[in-house]
Amino acid sequence: MPDKDELLYKKRKIFETISDEEKALADAYCEEYKNFLNKAKTERESVAQAIRLAERQGFAPLTPGMDLKAGSKVYSNIGGKALMLAIIGKAPLSDGVNIAAAHIDSPRLDLKQEPLYEDGDLAFFKTQYYGGIKKYQWVAQPLSLHGVLVKKNGEVIHVAIGEDKDDPVFVITDLLPHLGKDQYKKNLGEAIPGESLNLLIGSQPTGEEKDENRVKRTIMKILNEKYGITEQDFMSAELEAVPLMDARDVGFDGSMIVAYGHDDRSCAYAALKAILDLEAPEMTAVCVLADKEETGSDGVSGMQSAMFEDFIEELCEPFGVKPRACLKASFCLSADVSSAFDPNFPDVSDKLNTAKLGCGVAVMKYSGARGKGGTSEASAEAVAMLRSVFDENGVAWQMASLGKVDQGGGGTIAKYMANRNVETIDVGVPVLSMHAPYEIASKLDCYMTYKGILANYKRICQNV
Ligand code: MN
Ligand code: MN
């Protein structure tokens, strides 16, 4: 008979059990994480930061025919928008690889390909939102602009405007409440139409009073002087408007972080940091930082792309191992955020089966909506294996699911990995205000996600 404390399960806050030494490690980890967040506000910036950190740890680009051996550290850069890293293990690749896969794109506002117009003597950029947003959250707050302009000759101009204190910022206006009689009657989803998400970018006219588009002309004059571009260059640009504020501590106790892009950079950074901290693993470790998750994982840099098979194939080839055999024996932690229980909105969650802030990395056996639609669902064997790894390595964790059965649900990249015959389970940081411009996560949960992924990378036992 187990003792009375073990007979019944009780979810506990990490604060109840963590030592002062480990709390200090968690705080230090979160300072690095915040630093990463502030420099990586887009998928492209995340890849650039990740490569910078990886090369410092001895990772080099994976090239065909490369001489790989245990301990080799390699990465593959997918067009600057997705990244895969690996450390070759001591065990043969036919034993499978140990994967942690997260995504580095976040909900935001993309500029349309013909964005610039003038109306009412003001200049604007038209946008199209990317991923699932609540449109009303993106008005009346400063936004910065990140991305690339690619000229016809192939020259790439990197843009990040608004991050420097002296930079201008951009804002989408909202209607004053005094004139909001009709707007108030609309439902939340319709009160701010997608076509009204237009960034205010200037008001100063150029040239003669009789001229047309004088404010628009001012904007193009400034952009031409700064970047050497003309209006047509927007057609081959990827510019993203993102929330301006850097990551900050939340609460008098500073126990939480508010930031843009916890989904999914809290898990992407955890997976990246884990593989960077890993030395001479038994099993080959693979870290995937995918793009396009928020729009369905389609496209070259998304998790449905063949980029992943190609990477596995290049790892297997020097050892004469069949990639399919390697995948079949592999295991994947799909590292993505989960929704934390929010006492302000208790009705949407099953309290018992929802992650609680500060109770550790959330493990989701399945995602999906209603009748588990669209989930790959991990096996009970995989959950048991992970329980054992986490418990033996002091990783605080909790089971979770996303919302009440009939309320809705969400997906991750788990199913795209599982459909490749890789046993896959979702783990990640519980988040409040998910998909809002600023999301909230517990520092200790962020740290435990890193610790959990690292423990799995270090695992010696075979995959399930
Ligand atoms: Mn996500
Ligand atoms: Mn998301």
Side-chain angles (χ1 to χ4, degrees):
M1 190 65 181
D3 68 33
K4 74 173 190 355
D5 287 340
E6 279 177 22
L7 191 59
L8 298 184
Y9 167 71
K10 187 169 182 272
K11 193 179 279 197
R12 299 172 82 188
K13 283 227 152 195
I14 305 169
F15 279 105
E16 309 291 354
T17 52
I18 196 166
S19 68
D20 290 347
E21 295 76 44
E22 189 159 36
K23 169 86 172 33
L25 287 177
D27 285 337
Y29 169 85
C30 285
E31 288 308 307
E32 288 176 21
Y33 168 49
K34 285 192 287 182
N35 201 17
F36 177 84
L37 276 177
N38 297 343
K39 290 178 180 149
K41 297 201 170 180
T42 66
E43 69 289 358
R44 285 179 188 267
E45 290 173 359
S46 299
V47 167
Q49 285 303 315
I51 290 177
R52 195 178 61 85
L53 295 172
E55 287 187 340
R56 243 174 22 195
Q57 295 298 317
F59 282 79
L62 177 63
T63 51
M66 199 170 176
D67 179 30
L68 297 175
K69 51 182 184 299
S72 294
K73 297 176 174 184
V74 292
Y75 70 81
S76 187
N77 176 356
I78 309 301
K81 300 172 83 165
L83 185 73
M84 291 170 290
L85 308 99
I87 305 180
I88 304 297
K90 295 171 200 152
L93 273 132
S94 50
D95 283 2
V97 297
N98 221 337
I99 307 159
H103 67 94
I104 48 176
D105 60 318
S106 297
R108 61 182 191 243
L109 305 178
D110 285 346
L111 293 204
K112 291 193 183 187
Q113 293 329 116
E114 286 195 62
L116 180 59
Y117 74 101
E118 175 175 338
D119 195 0
D121 292 331
L122 299 171
F124 298 91
F125 277 152
K126 292 204 73 66
T127 70
Q128 176 147 9
Y129 59 94
Y130 173 99
I133 65 162
K134 289 165 114 177
K135 287 169 282 184
Y136 72 86
Q137 294 175 335
W138 291 74
V139 297
Q141 67 155 309
L143 301 167
S144 60
L145 209 53
H146 295 243
V148 293
L149 291 145
V150 185
K151 292 212 227 170
K152 218 157 65 163
N153 64 8
E155 184 194 343
V156 181
I157 301 161
H158 291 269
V159 173
I161 311 165
E163 296 301 324
D164 202 272
K165 269 202 179 63
D166 300 326
D167 282 356
V169 298
F170 311 96
V171 184
I172 295 166
T173 58
D174 194 8
L175 186 61
L176 62 168
H178 316 65
L179 299 179
K181 185 165 117 348
D182 293 338
Q183 191 190 41
Y184 278 131
K185 287 186 203 141
K186 294 180 180 164
N187 68 40
L188 270 180
E190 286 163 3
I192 305 286
E195 287 296 342
S196 74
L197 293 174
N198 302 315
L199 282 177
L200 180 59
I201 57 168
S203 67
Q204 189 179 311
T206 294
E208 308 278 317
E209 216 172 331
K210 61 175 173 29
D211 294 345
E212 299 255 297
N213 283 324
R214 294 172 66 208
V215 181
K216 186 174 160 180
R217 202 170 287 277
T218 308
I219 301 300
M220 273 326 302
K221 243 182 91 184
I222 293 168
L223 293 177
N224 182 267
E225 276 162 22
K226 193 161 181 197
Y227 301 112
I229 59 162
T230 60
E231 190 180 358
Q232 219 189 0
D233 288 320
F234 284 121
M235 293 185 182
S236 49
E238 284 174 7
L239 295 168
E240 306 172 6
V242 301
L244 183 71
M245 189 181 75
D246 278 349
R248 297 285 295 266
D249 288 355
V250 176
F252 288 111
D253 54 9
S255 60
M256 298 164 281
I257 301 168
V258 61
Y260 166 61
H262 279 313
D263 179 9
D264 185 30
R265 286 175 209 130
S266 58
C267 300
Y269 183 73
L272 174 68
K273 175 82 172 143
I275 201 165
L276 297 186
D277 288 354
L278 189 63
E279 285 298 334
E282 183 67 22
M283 292 186 58
T284 294
V286 170
C287 171
V288 180
L289 305 179
D291 179 29
K292 299 273 184 279
E293 193 276 343
E294 298 294 358
T295 54
S297 295
D298 293 291
V300 172
S301 52
M303 202 61 240
Q304 298 199 63
S305 143
M307 67 171 184
F308 179 69
E309 278 91 342
D310 289 353
F311 186 66
I312 293 295
E313 201 174 312
E314 281 171 38
L315 293 181
C316 286
E317 214 203 339
F319 302 101
V321 172
K322 284 206 177 81
R324 295 287 294 261
C326 171
L327 286 176
K328 190 179 171 184
S330 294
F331 179 77
C332 176
L333 292 180
S334 161
D336 203 347
V337 300
S338 181
S339 166
F341 179 77
D342 187 339
N344 278 331
F345 303 99
D347 298 341
V348 298
S349 303
D350 162 16
K351 209 170 176 178
L352 186 61
N353 284 283
T354 299
K356 244 176 100 179
L357 212 71
C359 291
V361 52
V363 176
M364 288 220 297
K365 187 173 183 296
Y366 58 87
S367 58
R370 297 173 183 93
K372 295 193 177 181
T375 183
S376 49
E377 183 148 13
S379 68
E381 287 83 350
V383 181
M385 191 272 289
L386 206 56
R387 281 177 63 195
S388 152
V389 171
F390 283 178
D391 285 347
E392 275 166 31
N393 291 281
V395 177
W397 66 279
Q398 54 183 324
M399 281 316 278
S401 66
L402 192 75
K404 275 187 177 161
V405 173
D406 289 332
Q407 193 65 41
T412 65
I413 58 172
K415 62 176 169 184
Y416 305 118
M417 203 53 102
N419 289 347
R420 289 168 161 128
N421 205 11
V422 177
E423 180 68 54
T424 303
I425 185 163
D426 276 305
V427 300
V429 176
V431 165
L432 289 170
S433 300
M434 202 172 136
H435 278 213
Y438 298 108
E439 304 170 312
I440 294 159
S442 144
K443 286 183 177 176
L444 292 179
D445 292 338
C446 290
Y447 170 74
M448 286 299 171
T449 301
Y450 151 76
K451 198 180 173 188
I453 293 172
L454 185 59
N456 184 59
Y457 274 149
K458 286 184 176 170
R459 185 158 54 83
I460 294 171
C461 63
Q462 289 280 311
N463 286 326
V464 284

